[in-house]
Amino acid sequence: MNTTNIPYKIYLNEDEMPTSWYNLRADMKTKPAPLLNPGTGQPLTADELKPIFCEELVAQELDETTAMIPIPDEIRSFYKMYRPSPLVRAYCLEEKLGTPAKIYYKFEGNNTSGSHKLNSAIAQAYYAKKQGLKGVTTETGAGQWGTALSMACSYFDLDCKVYMVKCSYEQKPFRREVMRTYGASVVPSPSDSTEVGKKILAEHPGTTGSLGCAISEAVEVATKNPGYRYVLGSVLNQVLLHQSVIGLETKKAVEKYDIHPDIIIGCAGGGSNLGGLIAPFMGEKLRGEADYRIIAVEPASCPSFTRGTYAYDFCDTGMICPLAKMYTLGSSFIPSPNHAGGLRFHGMSSTLSQLYHDGYMEAVSVEQTSVFQAAEQFARVEGILPAPESSHAIRVAIDEALKCKETGEEKTIIFGLTGTGYFDLVAYEKFHNGEMSDQIPTDEEIAASVAKLPKV
Amino acid sequence: MNTTNIPYKIYLNEDEMPTSWYNLRADMKTKPAPLLNPGTGQPLTADELKPIFCEELVAQELDETTAMIPIPDEIRSFYKMYRPSPLVRAYCLEEKLGTPAKIYYKFEGNNTSGSHKLNSAIAQAYYAKKQGLKGVTTETGAGQWGTALSMACSYFDLDCKVYMVKCSYEQKPFRREVMRTYGASVVPSPSDSTEVGKKILAEHPGTTGSLGCAISEAVEVATKNPGYRYVLGSVLNQVLLHQSVIGLETKKAVEKYDIHPDIIIGCAGGGSNLGGLIAPFMGEKLRGEADYRIIAVEPASCPSFTRGTYAYDFCDTGMICPLAKMYTLGSSFIPSPNHAGGLRFHGMSSTLSQLYHDGYMEAVSVEQTSVFQAAEQFARVEGILPAPESSHAIRVAIDEALKCKETGEEKTIIFGLTGTGYFDLVAYEKFHNGEMSDQIPTDEEIAASVAKLPKV
């Protein structure tokens, strides 16, 4: 029961929403390593990136010095349709756990894409429209990113071609249908609509596809068709920049209510949510103005931070993308079919990798069954059915709150609840039926894929 | 683009949330007709209702005079997990339509049950807990009500048995899985766990069930098991009472921002959403303090208001429930497999029926394909994928806004957006594939079922 002056849900007013994004790199003493051209081994220039990405996004990608980048009015108007998102005090969870800890979560799931992905999708669509493009292409695995981009393109009347990993296309027809509602064309990948798709189909008849293949097809279509560019939902600096809106709102809310976070927790796949949530807090830490424990949570089945290597690697399994320096399991690493599709990425954002390398944040990996236990516990007392990805953060937030119960410490914990699990009920069903496993890779498996890292 | 002082989303503060529900019947000069015992034809007494419903809910069901009924603190705490719900100004829809009308919607979908049903589920679960019961039983067709009740029972640690129409159980495994996440036992109906279920299975081997059969099973289990009662998610006076929280919040929000509604629109199946949304506005109208156009929207496939008869009828197809006086198509009327499962009910709340009969509100029926056109148009500009039920209200709100475009009138329209369509994508898929039909019953079909109305 709420006995404090802090409401269950803190909603900022519209005039308290951020007017600029925050570019964390501006405050980093050691900047993240640049993207390299895999052919030359040299840092990619703006001119090399412009055939693939929109011009203004290339500028954002390469800008390491401007701290505050204004959010265009058109994007702020769209944000107001589903933002500010609430910072929720988990009173019921605290009571259930019997912890003296104060738990908050920033909930990004109250929009039809079901996650925070929309924050960057609308920005990327806006810049494509501004440049006068006809449309954009992308890939999607689990489907959140494809859905968010479809919504954004529909709003700006842009064509949107989504290459969806074929097994997801077939197993998640509802995700596909949401995208169609927003007018996107959704193509199962590999397809015979691209050269690379045809080649793969010829070599592997009956394949159900992979993210690497879908990326290759999307990039091919973007670069071969005038008026199209390719867009990506995580990993890139530009994406972390747009996602800083999560952290900026959180910061404003805790200041408004005089809340002092001790621990900030987020799930980490490519890093878009975590990088956005922590941005302004990490900025304070980098500038020596405040200190926070910052914890990245990853699946034990795909543990790039906790068991990977800090090195240059391809961002895609097809090895056609630029090289990024990051914590990686190797681009040939095949994560087990964990249900947190949004966290099944072999690498990690270069920015977050550098910060982790420099000791500014911690990382922990958690096992799938314990993640779903936390998800169910959370759903029952807080009323929200969480996405499997988000539930990684819930798991560690609960663990930290239980430590406080033992020590009696009244720590303040904030975690990112990135989305809802309405399209993940096959996973919940397996959990209920006791059919879920943890599928942790062996040291040998990781060593084998790391051994194939490109020589730079 | 927002050029007024009204934000995109009006969120009340927690201390502005209602502390009492509003009982519309207190202001009705002609009270709704009482429930009758089908055996005796006499009004049902509290003692006759108590073996079926919780005591305090029986009192609420029969109370025609108390206008304001306090909301217990425990229920208000739960409400704060997902309420106040936003009153959204549909700026983007207005711009797309090019209408001078001002459109608002009260959005009840931001909770995991996906609809307004949770407002009454938590109240009914609370009174069951307060009475010291072990659990409750209910039926569910489309699944929103069963999901809401599962969430409510989980919160109060009550056992929850949901009889789910077998074809829904098989076609909507994800709805079932959400209920299981909340600890409910979900039984496909007809089942061999009840006498009535066994009888039906013997007579109709292989049947995929009906709502009437599921009600019969749920009532049997509630009345035969000590410590259990039956609960229902619509039609009843108690449900409309709890749902008044929707209208009370809406009223407070429009007063706060000096908004003067001209037209209030809601979809109507059993009447729970419409009755809740309009309650305080209708109260003003009944007391002669203000006037509003109030429009009930029903599917053309199940048009109880617009083509039904005002008469006593059974609430269930199994004809074991009390008789209610209402606009009805006859309890033997089988609505076509329209995708708005929540609106496929042959009758209508007695309270709303009396108000419609007395000319205090209008009703209109709309066809399924035009409903999905409106749903898609709305989703693309407002960012929310609406439930098929809610989309009935969207259809008429758009139609009224387009009339304003013709006449140049700046009317203020409010409609109820009851929920989200994340579990209704089979319907969207059929719409996209051009496989959706309108299935309007003939006059002869309606006359045939009305001819079977019970003689009272």
Side-chain angles (χ1 to χ4, degrees):
Chain A
M1 194 79 54
N2 178 0
T3 53
T4 76
N5 64 341
I6 293 175
Y8 280 67
K9 297 186 299 305
I10 301 174
Y11 279 106
L12 298 177
N13 298 321
E14 282 181 5
D15 57 12
E16 295 169 316
M17 288 173 67
T19 53
S20 295
W21 293 301
Y22 168 57
N23 181 6
L24 182 54
R25 287 167 293 166
D27 283 312
M28 290 171 70
K29 286 188 201 83
T30 312
K31 306 293 182 193
L35 294 172
L36 299 186
N37 180 325
T40 65
Q42 295 301 307
L44 279 163
T45 62
D47 284 343
E48 286 176 299
L49 287 168
K50 282 178 185 170
I52 306 173
F53 299 118
C54 301
E55 288 175 21
E56 202 141 341
L57 293 168
V58 169
Q60 292 179 357
E61 189 64 29
L62 299 178
D63 185 341
E64 293 184 334
T65 53
T66 313
M68 303 307 295
I69 295 180
I71 307 175
D73 282 346
E74 291 83 350
I75 298 176
R76 294 186 64 219
S77 286
F78 188 89
Y79 278 170
K80 286 178 186 170
M81 288 208 318
Y82 70 102
R83 308 197 69 82
S85 72
L87 180 68
V88 186
R89 174 74 182 266
Y91 284 113
C92 298
L93 180 62
E94 290 172 18
E95 193 180 338
K96 187 79 178 180
L97 297 174
T99 177
K102 299 174 187 71
I103 309 174
Y104 295 84
Y105 53 92
K106 181 70 170 168
F107 180 42
E108 293 287 318
N110 272 352
N111 72 74
T112 282
S113 81
S115 82
H116 66 293
K117 293 288 182 187
L118 197 51
N119 300 329
S120 183
I122 192 64
Q124 297 193 48
Y126 167 75
Y127 290 117
K129 187 71 180 178
K130 194 178 165 201
Q131 194 175 326
L133 298 178
K134 285 185 206 158
V136 293
T137 70
T138 198
E139 76 292 328
T140 200
Q144 280 98 333
W145 169 247
T147 309
L149 190 68
S150 304
M151 291 174 69
C153 287
S154 165
Y155 185 75
F156 283 124
D157 204 17
L158 277 170
D159 187 37
C160 179
K161 289 189 200 300
V162 180
Y163 286 83
M164 187 171 187
V165 178
K166 192 181 274 177
C167 63
S168 290
Y169 182 90
E170 286 163 0
Q171 287 168 7
K172 296 196 173 189
F174 294 163
R175 272 275 176 217
R176 182 187 76 206
E177 221 47 50
V178 180
M179 290 184 254
R180 284 179 77 194
T181 301
Y182 285 93
S185 72
V186 188
V187 182
S189 168
S191 73
D192 59 7
S193 68
T194 65
E195 292 307 315
V196 65
K198 281 181 204 162
K199 184 161 171 259
I200 291 167
L201 284 170
E203 287 170 6
H204 308 279
T207 176
T208 55
S210 72
L211 210 49
C213 170
I215 291 175
S216 306
E217 292 201 81
V219 171
E220 179 184 320
V221 172
T223 50
K224 283 196 178 166
N225 286 280
Y228 282 80
R229 291 295 183 281
Y230 169 71
V231 297
L232 185 64
S234 192
V235 182
L236 297 175
N237 295 319
Q238 57 187 270
V239 177
L240 266 68
L241 174 72
H242 307 147
Q243 295 295 357
S244 71
V245 69
I246 306 172
L248 292 165
E249 281 185 10
T250 306
K251 190 82 173 52
K252 176 77 87 174
V254 299
E255 284 170 358
K256 189 171 176 179
Y257 283 90
D258 201 26
I259 298 161
H260 299 276
D262 298 297
I263 308 174
I264 303 169
I265 301 167
C267 61
S272 68
N273 152 66
L274 180 69
L277 173 65
I278 66 173
F281 300 99
M282 182 62 87
E284 287 185 294
K285 196 165 170 168
L286 289 166
R287 297 189 302 270
E289 296 165 6
D291 198 15
Y292 307 97
R293 270 188 75 199
I294 294 176
I295 309 176
V297 189
E298 54 187 19
S301 59
C302 194
S304 23
F305 267 147
T306 52
R307 296 176 66 195
T309 299
Y310 190 40
Y312 266 104
D313 194 7
F314 289 97
C315 290
D316 63 321
T317 22
M319 301 191 190
I320 60 164
C321 283
L323 296 174
K325 191 172 179 189
M326 55 185 177
Y327 279 85
T328 178
L329 298 161
S331 68
S332 64
F333 179 79
I334 308 287
S336 69
N338 180 292
H339 290 288
L343 306 182
R344 291 180 62 206
F345 182 64
H346 66 276
M348 182 62 66
S349 140
S350 290
T351 297
L352 295 184
S353 291
Q354 187 64 47
L355 290 165
Y356 179 62
H357 186 69
D358 293 343
Y360 287 104
M361 51 191 280
E362 306 166 33
V364 60
S365 75
V366 291
E367 291 160 14
Q368 185 166 224
T369 47
S370 99
V371 165
F372 274 83
Q373 282 159 8
E376 185 166 278
Q377 185 173 14
F378 179 84
R380 289 190 182 187
V381 292
E382 290 290 321
I384 297 167
L385 187 82
E389 292 83 357
S390 326
S391 304
H392 285 68
I394 298 174
R395 171 74 275 162
V396 174
I398 289 176
D399 290 346
E400 291 293 332
L402 291 175
K403 284 182 202 163
C404 289
K405 186 178 181 178
E406 282 184 20
T407 63
E409 289 174 289
E410 292 187 21
K411 286 187 181 164
T412 296
I413 299 167
I414 296 181
F415 70 90
L417 190 72
T418 55
T420 49
Y422 305 135
F423 294 96
D424 299 288
L425 283 153
V426 167
Y428 275 93
E429 184 173 19
K430 286 196 176 159
F431 172 67
H432 295 145
N433 293 345
E435 296 162 358
M436 182 171 277
S437 63
D438 291 326
Q439 297 162 311
I440 302 166
T442 64
D443 288 341
E444 290 70 28
E445 284 168 331
I446 292 175
S449 56
V450 165
K452 294 180 202 155
L453 286 176
K455 307 287 173 275
V456 179
Chain B
M1 193 79 54
N2 179 359
T3 53
T4 76
N5 64 341
I6 294 174
Y8 281 66
K9 298 185 297 306
I10 301 174
Y11 278 108
L12 299 176
N13 298 321
E14 282 183 4
D15 57 13
E16 295 171 315
M17 287 172 66
T19 54
S20 296
W21 292 302
Y22 168 58
N23 182 4
L24 181 55
R25 288 166 292 166
D27 283 312
M28 289 170 70
K29 286 186 199 85
T30 310
K31 306 292 183 193
L35 294 172
L36 299 187
N37 180 323
T40 64
Q42 294 301 307
L44 277 163
T45 64
D47 284 344
E48 286 176 299
L49 287 168
K50 282 178 185 170
I52 306 174
F53 299 118
C54 300
E55 288 175 21
E56 203 140 340
L57 292 169
V58 169
Q60 291 179 358
E61 189 63 31
L62 299 178
D63 186 341
E64 294 183 332
T65 54
T66 312
M68 301 308 293
I69 296 181
I71 307 175
D73 282 346
E74 292 83 349
I75 298 175
R76 294 187 64 218
S77 286
F78 188 90
Y79 277 169
K80 286 177 188 172
M81 289 205 320
Y82 71 101
R83 308 197 67 83
S85 71
L87 180 68
V88 186
R89 175 74 182 267
Y91 285 113
C92 300
L93 180 62
E94 290 171 18
E95 193 179 338
K96 187 80 177 177
L97 297 175
T99 176
K102 299 173 187 73
I103 309 175
Y104 294 85
Y105 53 92
K106 180 71 168 167
F107 180 43
E108 293 288 315
N110 272 351
N111 72 74
T112 283
S113 81
S115 83
H116 67 292
K117 293 289 182 187
L118 197 51
N119 300 329
S120 183
I122 193 63
Q124 297 194 46
Y126 167 75
Y127 290 118
K129 187 70 179 179
K130 194 178 166 202
Q131 194 175 327
L133 298 178
K134 284 186 208 159
V136 293
T137 70
T138 199
E139 77 291 328
T140 201
Q144 281 98 330
W145 169 245
T147 309
L149 190 68
S150 303
M151 292 175 69
C153 287
S154 167
Y155 185 76
F156 284 125
D157 205 16
L158 277 171
D159 188 36
C160 180
K161 287 188 203 300
V162 180
Y163 286 83
M164 187 169 186
V165 178
K166 191 180 275 177
C167 63
S168 289
Y169 182 90
E170 287 164 0
Q171 287 169 5
K172 295 197 172 189
F174 294 162
R175 272 275 176 214
R176 181 186 80 205
E177 221 46 49
V178 181
M179 291 185 251
R180 284 179 76 195
T181 301
Y182 285 93
S185 71
V186 188
V187 182
S189 169
S191 74
D192 59 7
S193 68
T194 64
E195 292 308 315
V196 66
K198 281 181 205 163
K199 186 161 169 261
I200 291 167
L201 284 171
E203 288 170 5
H204 307 280
T207 175
T208 56
S210 72
L211 210 50
C213 170
I215 292 175
S216 306
E217 290 202 82
V219 171
E220 179 185 317
V221 172
T223 50
K224 281 194 177 168
N225 286 279
Y228 282 80
R229 292 293 184 282
Y230 169 71
V231 296
L232 185 64
S234 191
V235 182
L236 297 174
N237 295 319
Q238 57 187 270
V239 177
L240 266 68
L241 175 71
H242 307 146
Q243 295 295 358
S244 70
V245 70
I246 305 172
L248 292 165
E249 281 185 9
T250 305
K251 191 82 171 57
K252 176 77 85 174
V254 298
E255 284 170 359
K256 190 172 175 178
Y257 284 88
D258 201 27
I259 298 161
H260 299 275
D262 297 297
I263 308 175
I264 303 169
I265 301 167
C267 62
S272 68
N273 152 67
L274 180 69
L277 173 65
I278 66 173
F281 300 98
M282 182 62 88
E284 287 184 294
K285 194 165 171 168
L286 289 166
R287 295 189 303 269
E289 296 165 7
D291 197 17
Y292 306 98
R293 270 188 74 198
I294 294 175
I295 309 177
V297 189
E298 53 187 19
S301 59
C302 193
S304 21
F305 267 147
T306 50
R307 295 177 66 196
T309 299
Y310 191 39
Y312 267 105
D313 193 8
F314 289 97
C315 290
D316 62 322
T317 22
M319 300 192 193
I320 61 166
C321 282
L323 297 174
K325 190 171 179 190
M326 55 188 177
Y327 279 84
T328 179
L329 298 162
S331 67
S332 63
F333 179 79
I334 308 288
S336 69
N338 181 293
H339 290 288
L343 305 182
R344 290 180 63 208
F345 183 64
H346 65 276
M348 183 60 69
S349 142
S350 288
T351 297
L352 295 185
S353 291
Q354 187 65 48
L355 290 166
Y356 180 62
H357 187 69
D358 292 342
Y360 287 103
M361 52 192 278
E362 307 166 31
V364 60
S365 75
V366 290
E367 290 159 16
Q368 186 166 224
T369 46
S370 99
V371 164
F372 274 83
Q373 281 160 8
E376 187 166 277
Q377 184 173 17
F378 179 84
R380 289 190 180 185
V381 292
E382 290 291 319
I384 297 168
L385 187 81
E389 292 84 357
S390 326
S391 304
H392 285 68
I394 297 174
R395 173 73 276 162
V396 173
I398 290 177
D399 290 345
E400 291 293 333
L402 291 176
K403 283 182 202 164
C404 288
K405 187 178 180 178
E406 284 185 18
T407 62
E409 289 174 289
E410 291 188 22
K411 286 187 181 166
T412 296
I413 299 168
I414 297 181
F415 71 89
L417 190 72
T418 55
T420 49
Y422 304 135
F423 295 97
D424 298 288
L425 283 153
V426 168
Y428 276 92
E429 186 173 17
K430 286 195 177 160
F431 172 66
H432 295 145
N433 293 343
E435 296 162 359
M436 182 170 276
S437 62
D438 291 326
Q439 297 162 311
I440 301 165
T442 63
D443 288 341
E444 290 69 28
E445 284 167 332
I446 293 175
S449 58
V450 164
K452 293 180 201 155
L453 286 176
K455 306 287 173 274
V456 179

